[in-house]
Amino acid sequence: MTDSLAPRRFALAILDHILNRHQTLDGAVDQALKTWPMIGLDRSFARVIATKTLRNLGFIDHVLADFLTQGVPDKCRYADLVLRGGLAQILFMDVPDHAAVDSSVRLIAGAKHRADRGMKPVVNAVLRRAVRERDSLLAQLDANPSLALPRWLADRWRKAYGAETLSDMARVIIADRRWI
């Protein structure tokens, strides 16, 4: 019997190596392969989850900040990764909503640390809300494309080029991402 969550675990391992251990994408994939050997379509699916999450991290973090006023506790790094990967699947991939929510809830329920497991109701609620509000969230992104950028980069570009040019540059980045 195969582990249906394995590709998603692999994607989270890649994200962990990049976001928490500051490795490159290729280095993160190599490290993740040591724990989660993946081949074929599973490996491709995992890499798409990871790259869609990274490419849209600015907006994903904006949504999390809006939905969770106190944010994800620092001790819940795995829950943070699960939420980010789940939001990427819901907002930017053609993954069925129920599959994105269910797999994320199952991943967090099986987390190593008790604090992460305690985030199960939060993960469920946040992802279900994202499903319900997907159209308005994406409309918000279309109306303010600079939300797609990491805050530090948007601030830097706004200061250097002005708000209008920042918006134009972000709009190009968003349009480019829809093809990837």
Side-chain angles (χ1 to χ4, degrees):
M1 185 169 129
T2 62
D3 180 3
S4 64
L5 296 177
R8 287 176 170 92
R9 283 191 184 99
F10 183 64
L12 295 178
I14 293 170
L15 291 171
D16 177 52
H17 284 284
I18 293 169
L19 298 173
N20 297 325
R21 302 171 196 202
H22 311 290
Q23 294 180 343
T24 64
L25 178 60
D26 289 335
V29 170
D30 290 343
Q31 287 299 313
L33 281 169
K34 292 177 182 178
T35 306
W36 300 103
M38 285 285 130
I39 59 169
L41 292 176
D42 286 346
R43 183 173 174 173
S44 297
F45 179 57
R47 192 165 174 136
V48 170
I49 293 171
T51 55
K52 288 287 187 177
T53 302
L54 293 169
R55 286 185 178 130
N56 296 287
L57 194 57
F59 186 66
I60 289 169
D61 286 349
H62 168 77
V63 170
L64 284 174
D66 185 40
F67 285 11
L68 300 172
T69 55
Q70 294 182 2
V72 177
D74 290 338
K75 63 184 175 182
C76 297
R77 283 187 179 181
Y78 188 70
D80 190 45
L81 296 172
V82 170
L83 282 165
R84 286 169 161 176
L87 285 170
Q89 291 173 69
I90 290 166
L91 297 174
F92 301 106
M93 295 176 66
D94 291 328
V95 173
D97 296 335
H98 68 276
V101 174
D102 178 66
S103 62
S104 297
V105 169
R106 288 174 39 215
L107 284 167
I108 203 64
K112 289 181 189 176
H113 301 290
R114 183 176 175 189
D116 285 312
R117 289 191 306 272
M119 293 289 291
K120 181 180 170 184
V122 174
V123 168
N124 188 40
V126 165
L127 296 182
R128 287 183 184 277
R129 181 176 172 190
V131 168
R132 286 191 311 271
E133 298 180 18
R134 177 182 25 245
D135 292 340
S136 64
L137 290 170
L138 294 175
Q140 183 183 33
L141 179 60
D142 286 337
N144 186 0
S146 66
L147 293 174
L149 302 172
R151 182 170 282 143
W152 66 268
L153 182 60
D155 291 345
R156 184 177 290 174
W157 283 1
R158 186 178 294 107
K159 184 177 178 181
Y161 305 112
E164 188 175 327
T165 302
L166 165 65
S167 182
D168 291 342
M169 292 182 343
R171 194 170 312 284
V172 169
I173 291 169
I174 289 172
D176 186 47
R177 286 183 183 164
R178 290 192 175 139
W179 294 101
I180 298 172

